[in-house]
Amino acid sequence: MWSGRFREPLNATFDHWQRSFRFDQALLADECAASKAHARALAAAGILTEAEFSTITTGLDGLVAKYGEASAAQKIEFDAEDIHHFVELKLVEAIGDLGLKLHTGRSRNEQIATDLRLFVRRQIGVILGDLAAWAGALVEQAVKAGDAVMPSYTHLQRAEPVLVAHWLLAYVEMILRDASRLEDCAKRLNYCPLGSGPIAGATLALDRTIASRELAFTAPTFNSMDATSDRDFVLEYLQALTMIGLHASRFSEEITLFATAEFGFVELPEAFSTGSSAMPQKKNPDLTELIRAKVGRLNGAAQTVTLLVKGLPLAYNKDMQETQEPVFEASRTAHMLTYLLGAFTSALTFRIDRMKAACEIGYLNAMAAATYLVYKGVPFRKAHEKIGNAVRYGLDHGKELGELTLDELKQFGPEFEADFFEAASLEATLDCHDVIGGTARARVKAAIQDAAARVEALAAQYAGTGAAKEEELSHAGA
């Protein structure tokens, strides 16, 4: 593609090493879409006739039809330098030398900048669809849980009872924040580099709004040097995927813990678990353990791109070729883990009896008990001390707060009355958190409805983009 200026061929080993087609073939559909948009701009500028434009676009559509599925699986074996070289060679093979006119007025620098934006934008839609499905599964489990209770934890020590639904909705909030980050990223990247040339802009008087409009971009980019060297959107995308991975890992860690015999809160679905080659009784949480591990890949991709771009002068540098593989790998990883989490979450079974039993021991009503004293006019610091003394007494005598007699309680303060036992009950302990965002039963019921509406809106917007059929994922890697 550039050999005219050189007298010597490339060193064979270097030539093989510097080629990117083995991985950037994943951009085939995006390369062809961008090429069609460029062809439309060339036709408007009088460089191509309408007949030539039609022939070129038909040829490009044929390449996508023939090689699109293979490129998604990264299985095309062909001696091309990169995806741009491959498309040009195959287009010429299909329509003759007319295919060579397509490169008029453009550079590979702007091509790859455009292709990557199209790819990331498309993958954002896919992952948003997956996130909507996972969040929907969490909401469904919250509805199913109803008024079931579980201990909440701080420092991995039992803290206060909460509704199981409240715990599930915490992850819905994380997912919706993740979705908003991806949507913000999609808005910022949605500007078209085509027409930027290699660095200073196209040498032809092209109407850049044509290609931008054809590709559904917001507008052309505003600076050609920035457009051809910008990979901010790649890094922002990978950082957003890392955050998704972190939230998925937190959920996975809790499920892994809750599925142990020591907790016994969750029954792992057999379809997502494995056994032991040596111990017949085992059912291992391999899915959640793998998800914890996959965060390393996502964060590693973000760190790789950070280090690649941190010291690059303007504008394009070959270093930028190395930003592509992390994007492809992280996209596959994020897609797989979010897709699987939706199905996994739907299949979970919660052991409500064990969760409730865990709420009834360990003084989880201590804060509600302190609040009872506050309503009796005791300053909170004093109330905290009185209940702390009562807890110590209970520990020494093997009694929960609700099992102490009124006479035993009155040794810690005259404010204790017979109504204490109602105020320290499990139901009252839940409902004393009657604030927006709290775990009172009425508040959680309203929160479920609100979360369901927001998740349904997200799912409707990205319907058909995520939660791909399982057979389509079989070759996607992990």
Side-chain angles (χ1 to χ4, degrees):
M1 298 178 75
W2 42 262
S3 59
R5 180 249 186 269
F6 288 77
R7 294 190 180 94
E8 297 181 14
L10 284 180
N11 173 278
T13 302
F14 169 64
D15 186 22
H16 175 76
W17 185 64
Q18 62 96 33
R19 290 177 178 239
S20 60
F21 182 64
R22 62 183 173 80
F23 54 83
D24 69 12
Q25 60 185 252
L27 297 172
L28 176 68
D30 307 295
E31 171 71 9
C32 289
S35 294
K36 288 169 63 176
H38 180 65
R40 172 61 72 186
L42 289 177
I47 306 300
L48 296 177
T49 66
E50 280 300 315
E52 288 174 328
F53 168 75
S54 178
T55 300
I56 286 174
T57 55
T58 299
L60 291 168
D61 288 340
L63 293 184
V64 175
K66 184 174 182 180
Y67 297 105
E69 184 176 348
S71 70
Q74 297 192 8
K75 292 179 179 177
I76 302 175
E77 295 295 336
F78 190 80
D79 186 25
E81 182 180 349
D82 53 27
I83 186 60
H84 320 299
H85 190 203
F86 173 81
V87 168
E88 182 172 299
L89 290 173
K90 288 297 181 180
L91 187 61
V92 170
E93 185 179 294
I95 67 172
D97 284 351
L98 174 59
L100 297 174
K101 293 184 74 172
L102 183 57
H103 199 60
T104 306
R106 71 174 180 178
S107 161
R108 286 191 293 177
N109 296 357
E110 64 185 289
Q111 285 177 260
I112 190 58
T114 304
D115 292 354
L116 275 177
R117 286 171 188 256
L118 292 173
F119 177 86
V120 169
R121 188 178 70 182
R122 179 158 48 86
Q123 291 303 309
I124 284 174
V126 169
I127 295 167
L128 283 168
D130 293 332
L131 287 175
W134 181 25
L138 288 164
V139 170
E140 288 174 6
Q141 286 282 18
V143 171
K144 190 186 302 184
D147 288 343
V149 297
M150 65 180 290
S152 64
Y153 296 83
T154 63
H155 310 279
L156 263 185
Q157 304 294 314
R158 290 180 189 175
E160 296 183 84
V162 298
L163 294 185
V164 174
H166 193 60
W167 168 68
L168 291 165
L169 292 182
Y171 285 101
V172 174
E173 293 301 319
M174 295 181 207
I175 292 169
L176 291 173
R177 287 199 300 274
D178 291 333
S180 70
R181 271 184 282 269
L182 286 176
E183 289 177 324
D184 286 346
C185 178
K187 290 176 184 176
R188 271 186 288 277
L189 70 79
N190 205 40
Y191 291 84
C192 185
L194 287 182
S196 296
I199 184 169
T203 54
L204 298 174
L206 299 177
D207 182 349
R208 294 189 62 207
T209 63
I210 294 173
S212 177
R213 185 172 57 251
E214 290 286 311
L215 295 170
F217 281 112
T218 303
T221 49
F222 299 104
N223 183 285
S224 60
M225 294 181 72
D226 176 61
T228 55
S229 63
D230 173 30
R231 295 298 183 270
D232 291 0
F233 67 94
V234 170
L235 183 54
E236 184 177 356
Y237 169 63
L238 294 175
Q239 289 170 335
L241 295 190
T242 299
M243 191 70 79
I244 291 169
L246 289 173
H247 292 152
S249 181
R250 294 184 74 180
F251 178 75
S252 298
E253 171 66 9
E254 290 208 285
I255 294 298
T256 302
L257 283 173
F258 291 166
T260 62
E262 287 72 19
F263 279 84
F265 292 173
V266 175
E267 186 67 34
L268 292 173
E270 292 188 2
F272 296 93
S273 306
T274 64
S276 166
S277 62
M279 295 171 283
Q281 84 281 10
K282 294 294 294 296
K283 182 163 69 168
N284 297 325
D286 282 25
L287 182 139
T288 53
E289 292 174 342
L290 280 172
I291 286 174
R292 286 188 317 209
K294 296 296 183 184
V295 182
R297 293 198 183 201
L298 297 175
N299 188 46
Q303 293 302 318
T304 296
V305 173
T306 299
L307 294 174
L308 282 168
V309 302
K310 72 173 183 64
L312 292 184
L314 289 175
Y316 182 82
N317 297 270
K318 188 73 166 181
D319 312 50
M320 291 180 180
Q321 179 173 290
E322 291 296 298
T323 66
Q324 297 177 42
E325 283 185 283
V327 172
F328 303 145
E329 171 67 19
S331 296
R332 286 192 295 271
T333 299
H335 178 30
M336 287 292 289
L337 72 84
T338 48
Y339 168 77
L340 287 169
L341 271 173
F344 173 79
T345 300
S346 293
L348 284 173
T349 300
F350 296 103
R351 298 185 61 185
I352 302 303
D353 55 336
R354 288 288 297 266
M355 289 176 155
K356 183 178 180 182
C359 289
E360 294 172 335
I361 58 174
Y363 307 95
L364 273 68
N365 57 350
M367 190 167 180
T371 303
Y372 164 83
L373 292 178
V374 168
Y375 281 116
K376 295 289 186 178
V378 179
F380 180 76
R381 291 299 184 194
K382 288 290 186 182
H384 187 287
E385 181 183 357
K386 290 173 184 283
I387 297 301
N389 288 330
V391 167
R392 170 52 57 194
Y393 180 88
L395 287 167
D396 291 342
H397 292 80
K399 292 183 177 182
E400 291 290 322
L401 287 176
E403 295 173 338
L404 298 177
T405 67
L406 187 55
D407 287 340
E408 286 175 313
L409 287 167
K410 279 187 175 293
Q411 66 181 300
F412 306 110
E415 301 85 6
F416 288 97
E417 301 292 344
D419 59 352
F420 169 80
F421 300 100
E422 168 100 23
S425 67
L426 180 57
E427 292 74 16
T429 300
L430 287 166
D431 287 341
C432 75
H433 299 280
D434 190 15
V435 295
I436 294 173
T439 194
R441 287 171 290 184
R443 295 289 187 176
V444 174
K445 185 176 180 179
I448 290 174
Q449 295 175 343
D450 175 71
R454 288 184 288 156
V455 171
E456 286 171 9
L458 182 69
Q461 186 173 357
Y462 297 100
T465 61
K469 295 178 182 178
E470 291 188 48
E471 57 267 25
E472 294 173 351
L473 296 170
S474 61
H475 58 247

